[in-house]
Amino acid sequence: MRHRQEYDEMVAEAKKREVKEAQRRKKLMKERFKQEENIASAMVVWNTEILPNWDAMRNTRKVRDLWWQGLPPSVRGKVWSLAVGNELNITSELYEIFLSRAKERWKSFSETTSENESEDAGVSVADREASLELIKLDISRTFPSLYIFQKGGPYHDLLHSVLGAYTCYRPDVGYVQGMSFIAAVLILNLEEADAFIAFANLLNKPCQLAFFRVDHSMMLKYFAAFEVFFEENLPKLFQHFNSYSLTPDLYLIDWIFTLYSKSLPLDLACRVWDVFCRDGEEFLFRTALGILRLYEDILLQMDFIHIAQFLTKLPDDITSEKLFSCIAAIQMQNSNKKWTQVFTSLMKDYKEGDKSSPVSKT
């Protein structure tokens, strides 16, 4: 009798779980349908109202609000291109020129030509070879779970081309680890030449240029500005990090270098890119504060090593709803000063400091 009762209870419990699971699946389906409907209606608005009147509409409240919700994948590349702009006036013809130059160089490296022939803009052959080798290695590590950029994958040659052309276009910058992730995200959303144009212009923005050129003094200014808003928004966590002398470079460098495309799930990274294209560099640091806010309770329980490990490899189950509600809660204002004003005043302080004391370059 007792066994029968236990059995009935187990069956009832299993049924309860089944009903719960069915309800959860139904809710998820409902949310997915709603999301798809929202994307479809947003796509119509972007294609019929916003894109044809881009200059007049891009800064309106309506567009900014719609933009915050994430761009429909079908218009994402177009909006990114327009938002990033083309201050460098690069044409697809110019891309072809640098691409053929890169191909010649790859060929000549495999045949090992003399140093004089390959010398360009003061960059040595050894540097170039190192750059090309690094590209090859980095491509194999770019979104490995997608299997599309690795050798034999559909986008391998395309990524190789964009990165190779860039090293010829900007020998002063060359190839820096992490660039492959940025180029890969652009390739997934744009045609080849357009991806190159957006890539070169994006890397020419002050923040990206400072990081990819490893301009230490500029990077320190960005970190200092970030810390102003860190202390303002998350004072407890800020003190906790300080007690361990945990500085922003330990986690920010990786996040900024790849514009979060290596640290966050790809769909979420694209949504961060959406708003980064709208708001500029400030949003990269606001996103960092959003991540810290999201995991504040966990981080407050951790020591130096565990914090560094956690921020180097963020949890896989991070969702855009949770992250974006944390980002929205971050106030990018300090004593009535916005990001640009805080950063500008730091620049001024550093310049005055530079005049009074010679700074040794590391």
Side-chain angles (χ1 to χ4, degrees):
M1 194 68 191
R2 190 167 58 86
H3 291 302
R4 177 75 197 170
Q5 195 184 339
E6 281 175 2
Y7 173 74
D8 288 345
E9 279 171 8
M10 278 166 66
V11 169
E13 198 57 47
K15 273 188 177 168
K16 222 188 270 179
R17 274 203 305 272
E18 257 177 53
V19 169
K20 227 178 186 176
E21 182 57 26
Q23 285 171 339
R24 193 186 69 84
R25 276 204 301 268
K26 198 177 171 185
K27 194 185 170 195
L28 273 176
M29 288 291 282
K30 226 176 174 180
E31 280 171 9
R32 196 168 294 158
F33 280 133
K34 198 181 171 198
Q35 209 176 4
E36 282 169 9
E37 273 176 19
N38 289 345
I39 287 172
S41 59
M43 190 177 77
V44 173
V45 176
W46 278 102
N47 279 320
T48 59
E49 294 176 37
I50 303 167
L51 289 171
N53 309 293
W54 176 253
D55 291 327
M57 288 195 74
R58 68 174 293 180
N59 291 318
T60 60
R61 186 62 190 265
K62 177 188 174 177
V63 171
R64 287 182 67 79
D65 288 348
L66 196 60
W67 205 329
W68 174 267
Q69 289 160 32
L71 298 168
S74 59
V75 299
R76 183 166 266 149
K78 181 74 180 151
V79 175
W80 286 359
S81 281
L82 288 166
V84 170
N86 187 8
E87 278 183 5
L88 298 169
N89 294 317
I90 301 171
T91 59
S92 48
E93 290 76 25
L94 192 66
Y95 168 61
E96 290 302 332
I97 290 166
F98 284 109
L99 177 57
S100 58
R101 203 173 284 181
K103 284 177 177 171
E104 276 168 36
R105 197 151 280 141
W106 292 327
K107 212 174 131 196
S108 71
F109 275 132
S110 55
E111 292 161 10
T112 61
T113 56
S114 73
E115 191 154 321
N116 291 341
E117 283 175 346
S118 295
E119 205 67 57
D120 184 14
V123 180
S124 73
V125 172
D127 285 346
R128 285 201 176 284
E129 281 187 313
S131 224
L132 292 174
E133 277 307 307
L134 194 52
I135 288 176
K136 218 185 283 181
L137 181 64
D138 241 16
I139 288 176
S140 67
R141 298 185 292 209
T142 305
F143 298 121
S145 59
L146 296 180
Y147 302 113
I148 54 175
F149 294 106
Q150 287 61 40
K151 205 163 181 58
Y155 290 114
H156 172 271
D157 294 351
L158 202 54
L159 184 54
H160 206 263
S161 296
V162 168
L163 296 172
Y166 182 77
T167 59
C168 289
Y169 172 66
R170 288 299 297 263
D172 57 322
V173 180
Y175 180 77
V176 182
Q177 218 172 338
M179 281 182 180
S180 64
F181 276 89
I182 297 178
V185 173
L186 290 167
I187 284 166
L188 289 172
N189 289 280
L190 288 158
E191 293 299 317
E192 184 175 346
D194 293 329
F196 176 79
I197 293 166
F199 182 68
N201 278 280
L202 198 52
L203 264 51
N204 201 47
K205 305 278 178 200
C207 180
Q208 274 57 55
L209 213 48
F211 276 77
F212 280 114
R213 276 180 148 171
V214 195
D215 180 338
H216 290 290
S217 65
M218 276 298 276
M219 286 166 79
L220 286 172
K221 285 158 210 167
Y222 277 109
F223 296 146
F226 169 77
E227 290 207 285
V228 167
F229 293 98
F230 186 179
E231 187 174 16
E232 178 80 27
N233 284 278
L234 305 164
K236 257 165 80 178
L237 192 62
F238 178 77
Q239 286 306 328
H240 183 63
F241 277 26
N242 267 2
S243 69
Y244 286 114
S245 304
L246 198 141
T247 49
D249 54 304
L250 284 168
Y251 49 94
L252 275 186
I253 286 179
D254 200 39
W255 294 353
I256 305 288
F257 260 121
T258 59
L259 302 177
Y260 295 96
S261 53
K262 189 180 163 194
S263 328
L264 296 174
L266 185 56
D267 57 337
L268 180 48
C270 284
R271 204 171 150 202
V272 168
W273 278 47
D274 291 343
V275 189
F276 163 56
C277 288
R278 186 193 80 168
D279 293 355
E281 62 185 38
E282 172 187 320
F283 191 71
L284 295 177
F285 297 94
R286 193 178 175 194
T287 299
L289 292 171
I291 292 170
L292 295 178
R293 184 189 170 98
L294 178 60
Y295 295 113
E296 182 175 19
D297 293 343
I298 299 169
L299 293 166
L300 283 168
Q301 308 303 315
M302 292 180 175
D303 60 13
F304 182 99
I305 294 290
H306 290 97
I307 293 170
Q309 285 174 341
F310 183 89
L311 295 177
T312 303
K313 174 102 182 62
L314 294 169
D316 295 327
D317 60 356
I318 183 168
T319 67
S320 62
E321 288 72 31
K322 281 182 184 168
L323 178 59
F324 269 78
S325 68
C326 285
I327 294 171
I330 297 294
Q331 297 301 309
M332 293 305 271
Q333 205 146 341
N334 172 265
S335 316
N336 290 327
K337 280 184 180 177
K338 293 188 175 174
W339 169 267
T340 354
Q341 294 163 307
V342 168
F343 188 71
T344 310
S345 65
L346 280 165
M347 290 281 284
K348 218 159 61 187
D349 292 348
Y350 273 93
K351 272 177 192 163
E352 281 162 15
D354 285 351
K355 281 176 197 167
S356 57
S357 67
V359 178
S360 63
K361 272 207 165 186
T362 48

